[in-house]
Amino acid sequence: RDELIGMLTARDSGWSLVVSTHDAEFLQSCDRILLLDRGTIRAEGTYDELRADPYFRRVIAAHHVEA
């Protein structure tokens, strides 16, 4: 996990990484997040942008992670 976060923050890797997580710390390192709801993209943006979305806050809270 820490190694992946390090790779994301380097930003010069030249490749994309697709992950599925509810880990707020990991999500804060991502430059683009797709918020899925039953397989459909409900919203997309940065962590800070998605914090305004009530569904995003509920998903994060349901997994006992600080939002």
Side-chain angles (χ1 to χ4, degrees):
R1 177 179 167 261
D2 291 336
E3 185 176 344
L4 288 175
I5 291 174
M7 285 188 280
L8 285 174
T9 57
R11 302 271 189 234
D12 63 350
S13 62
W15 50 272
S16 298
L17 177 65
V18 177
V19 296
S20 175
T21 186
H22 296 102
D23 183 329
E25 182 180 351
F26 192 92
L27 291 171
Q28 291 175 47
S29 300
C30 299
D31 57 352
R32 183 173 176 207
I33 300 167
L34 300 177
L35 180 61
L36 301 178
D37 183 9
R38 297 184 177 121
T40 301
I41 298 174
R42 180 185 178 111
E44 69 177 273
T46 65
Y47 179 84
D48 289 335
E49 292 168 343
L50 291 177
R51 286 183 64 188
D53 186 298
Y55 180 72
F56 180 78
R57 290 196 309 269
R58 281 194 309 272
V59 168
I60 296 298
H63 291 85
H64 308 288
V65 180
E66 289 282 321

